[in-house]
Amino acid sequence: MKKRAQLKTSQKEMLRQLPGVDHLLELADRDVLLNTVPRSVLTRSIRTVLENLRKAIVDTGAEIDATLLTDTAVLEKVQEAAGRAMAPNLQPLVNATGIVIHTNLGRSLLAAEAVENLVRIAGRYSNLEFDLDKGKRGSRYSIVEELICEITGAEAAIAVNNNAGAVLLALNTLARGKKVIVSRGELVEIGGSFRIPDVMAQSGGIMVEVGTTNRTHLKDYENAVDEQTALLLKVHKSNYSIVGFTREVTLQELVALGAIRGIPVMEDLGSGTFIDFSRYGLAKEPTVQDSLASGLDVVTFSGDKLLGGTQAGFILGKPEIMDRIKQNPITRALRIDKLTLAALETTLRLYRDEKRAVAAIPTLRMITEPVQAIEKKALRLKAMLEKIDTDRMQIDLVRQTSKAGGGSLPLLELPSRGLAITITGMSANRIESFLRRYTPPIIARIKEDRIIVDPRTIQEDELAIIEEAFRHLLSKDKP
Ligand SMILES: *Cc1c(COP(=O)(O)O)cnc(C)c1O
């Protein structure tokens, strides 16, 4: 209390004026916004608000506005604090970045049908692990296995938690304590700590690097094979490309070598797509079907990248290998959850008809959306925004590129149109920060001190949200 003794009289007076916790709790009971807030949250919010006010009084030497200390003013602060504490941490937002598979923003949005099925299953019991024909225990893995095989031509399949898990599981099953040969040009790191050498170490496999960063030849693999070799591994260069003086061994060549030496071949496809994007005027990305047709033994890929489904990892391959994988105790630790399965099954069913898949799965729809359609959407948004305040707001239609993102189609830039927005007297950083803290948050990019809004990733019903946000921004920030 030594510090308190040094306070000025005016400060002591102000501290005395602050309402007490019990008094505020009583007021809260009679307040419509606060009387439903759990006691623990309310008390914590009150303490925080009072603490902040005390600190302000002490730090400023009582140079704060006395009206901030009235019951009403303090209660208002408590309402704000309790409101923040009660709001969910995970919330939907508007992705105006044009990056379709944005890992930080949840990667893929689900098709409406998939969301519907997820809700249908979530609140009920289901036959998750119960065979309705036999009346016996069943396997959750059987729910999507046939479907995946039907779409891709695989002989056997399993879906686990994510692709990182799928790679770990496959390596652990096939190569624990044994050698795995991989090209130095394919030692991928995916953002967020997935690195091939680290996953390999965790799986118990012994990594044997061959070739160089830019050139790896078949003879590099041939020379490295010995009796301890358990696997030839190929990793898709998801998020980078090696250009110039390069040489890469094809999957077909590796499969041929594997057949001669009796060693299984695995590919980590990363993104994995069932659709040939070159048919939509985009760059050719290897499909899961292509990989399987090469005759490899195991292929793994993600559920929420180009596939446009839920977070999941798929392992597809030869039945005898898949049986070993299914029996690995690690499988249980990586098992897929029932809500994921519910949404995943519906998403996979859409792939039975490619046209339907491209129309209904948002990730595919956004990636294949023609630039003319994007431009139309951009112009509609421009017209909406111009209704607000044409004097201060400068809105230009700009040519730009969107990205598939998510370590997919790495070099692919999707020709796009966007809006570049500036507001007189307001920095782009200030606008970006306002949009980011808006409810719902709107995530936009900044380029050359202008806000860039890319309609490719903005859903139809979100245009009005953006208009409303700018209306708020301009009304509360008059020059
Ligand atoms: C994305 C990716 C992974 C990880 O997949 P997750 O589903 O994010 O776990 C692994 N390998 C490659 C090559 C990838 O591109």
Side-chain angles (χ1 to χ4, degrees):
M1 283 289 119
K2 195 157 167 265
K3 204 169 159 202
R4 184 62 59 94
Q6 295 163 350
L7 293 176
K8 296 192 289 192
T9 324
S10 56
Q11 284 175 306
K12 288 185 196 154
E13 182 50 40
M14 271 196 160
L15 289 172
R16 258 195 302 275
Q17 270 176 36
L18 276 176
V21 176
D22 290 337
H23 178 58
L24 285 166
L25 280 171
E26 265 172 44
L27 292 178
D29 279 341
R30 281 179 268 133
D31 184 276
V32 280
L33 287 174
L34 288 173
N35 64 14
T36 55
V37 176
R39 207 69 172 173
S40 57
V41 177
L42 194 55
T43 312
R44 200 151 18 94
S45 304
I46 290 174
R47 293 225 160 95
T48 310
V49 168
L50 290 177
E51 194 48 50
N52 290 343
L53 284 169
R54 272 190 213 106
K55 196 168 176 308
I57 294 169
V58 172
D59 291 354
T60 62
E63 293 297 318
I64 70 166
D65 188 346
T67 58
L68 290 175
L69 307 181
T70 62
D71 284 359
T72 322
V74 176
L75 206 62
E76 220 167 85
K77 286 254 180 262
V78 172
Q79 281 167 352
E80 280 169 27
R84 276 195 301 274
M86 295 298 285
N89 290 332
L90 190 57
Q91 45 181 323
L93 55 72
V94 176
N95 174 6
T97 65
I99 300 168
V100 179
I101 306 166
H102 198 309
T103 297
N104 298 155
L105 306 185
R107 282 198 184 158
S108 282
L109 356 179
L110 296 176
E113 290 96 322
V115 174
E116 236 168 72
N117 198 41
L118 184 144
V119 171
R120 194 173 66 100
I121 296 299
R124 303 263 172 199
Y125 289 111
S126 62
N127 59 333
L128 180 66
E129 292 188 349
F130 187 67
D131 186 324
L132 291 171
D133 288 329
K134 300 196 182 109
K136 288 196 308 204
R137 190 196 157 97
S139 159
R140 70 176 64 213
Y141 298 112
S142 65
I143 290 171
V144 290
E145 180 169 16
E146 253 181 60
L147 207 46
I148 300 168
C149 293
E150 178 192 319
I151 297 164
T152 62
E155 291 175 88
I158 189 171
V160 293
N161 180 64
N162 61 358
N163 187 35
V167 174
L168 179 74
L169 177 58
L171 291 176
N172 177 269
T173 308
L174 300 173
R176 191 157 62 104
K178 303 218 181 85
K179 292 183 185 168
V180 180
I181 304 179
V182 59
S183 161
R184 290 196 170 89
E186 297 174 5
L187 299 178
V188 175
E189 171 178 323
I190 309 295
S193 75
F194 177 95
R195 306 169 103 192
I196 289 293
D198 298 345
V199 174
M200 185 78 71
Q202 289 302 320
S203 75
I206 301 158
M207 188 168 78
V208 178
E209 300 170 33
V210 296
T212 61
T213 304
N214 56 328
R215 285 172 75 82
T216 303
H217 307 269
L218 188 59
K219 68 172 187 305
D220 294 326
Y221 289 90
E222 282 169 350
N223 292 341
V225 170
D226 63 19
E227 54 293 347
Q228 269 138 54
T229 307
L231 193 66
L232 305 176
L233 174 66
K234 187 152 186 66
V235 185
H236 183 51
K237 295 190 285 293
S238 294
N239 50 6
Y240 66 105
S241 165
I242 299 174
V243 293
F245 185 51
T246 63
R247 172 77 174 89
E248 174 179 346
V249 175
T250 64
L251 190 56
Q252 286 70 17
E253 290 172 296
L254 271 195
V255 168
L257 174 62
I260 295 168
R261 308 295 286 263
I263 301 166
V265 176
M266 165 171 157
E267 181 177 35
D268 173 13
L269 252 186
S271 195
T273 169
F274 297 155
I275 285 178
D276 180 356
F277 281 97
S278 66
R279 268 189 270 158
Y280 298 84
L282 304 172
K284 168 95 186 156
E285 181 79 349
T287 63
V288 173
Q289 294 90 319
D290 289 342
S291 292
L292 288 164
S294 76
L296 54 54
D297 297 87
V298 192
V299 59
T300 70
F301 54 94
S302 275
D304 57 354
K305 291 184 181 169
L306 282 175
L307 227 55
T310 51
Q311 179 189 305
F314 292 97
I315 312 176
L316 277 51
K318 303 262 164 77
E320 55 285 2
I321 285 182
M322 294 307 299
D323 282 345
R324 284 167 63 199
I325 287 174
K326 287 173 188 173
Q327 279 154 27
N328 187 331
I330 292 177
T331 302
R332 170 59 194 255
L334 295 169
R335 83 174 181 186
I336 193 159
D337 130 88
K338 68 172 178 181
L339 301 184
T340 303
L341 266 176
L344 201 56
E345 181 186 355
T346 310
T347 307
L348 290 171
R349 282 182 188 278
L350 290 168
Y351 275 101
R352 285 171 154 171
D353 175 356
E354 180 173 318
K355 264 214 298 325
R356 236 184 116 203
V358 172
I361 297 173
T363 298
L364 298 181
R365 192 178 59 224
M366 288 186 272
I367 288 177
T368 57
E369 184 153 20
V371 67
Q372 296 86 343
I374 307 267
E375 180 165 322
K376 268 196 189 152
K377 213 202 259 182
L379 288 172
R380 254 187 304 137
L381 179 60
K382 185 168 185 278
M384 287 165 85
L385 294 177
E386 276 168 351
K387 282 190 300 188
I388 306 173
D389 182 341
T390 38
D391 289 347
R392 294 182 61 205
M393 239 177 145
Q394 172 71 30
I395 310 160
D396 297 310
L397 182 73
V398 291
R399 282 169 181 274
Q400 50 155 17
T401 50
S402 330
K403 290 198 172 68
S408 324
L409 310 167
L411 298 184
L412 185 73
E413 308 250 291
L414 308 164
S416 200
R417 296 288 182 273
L419 297 181
I421 302 170
T422 52
I423 297 174
T424 312
M426 210 184 287
S427 71
N429 283 324
R430 161 104 175 72
I431 305 172
E432 186 274 336
S433 145
F434 172 86
L435 294 174
R436 180 161 35 82
R437 291 155 202 256
Y438 188 71
T439 310
I442 299 164
I443 311 301
R445 285 184 294 152
I446 296 178
K447 200 179 166 198
E448 289 156 7
D449 215 32
R450 298 198 287 182
I451 289 289
I452 305 287
V453 165
D454 187 333
R456 186 182 295 274
T457 47
I458 299 171
Q459 312 306 302
E460 206 48 54
D461 57 356
E462 293 170 347
L463 295 177
I465 295 174
I466 296 175
E467 181 196 340
E468 197 52 32
F470 275 99
R471 218 176 263 287
H472 270 243
L473 175 62
L474 284 153
S475 70
K476 89 183 191 83
D477 194 296
K478 294 257 188 265

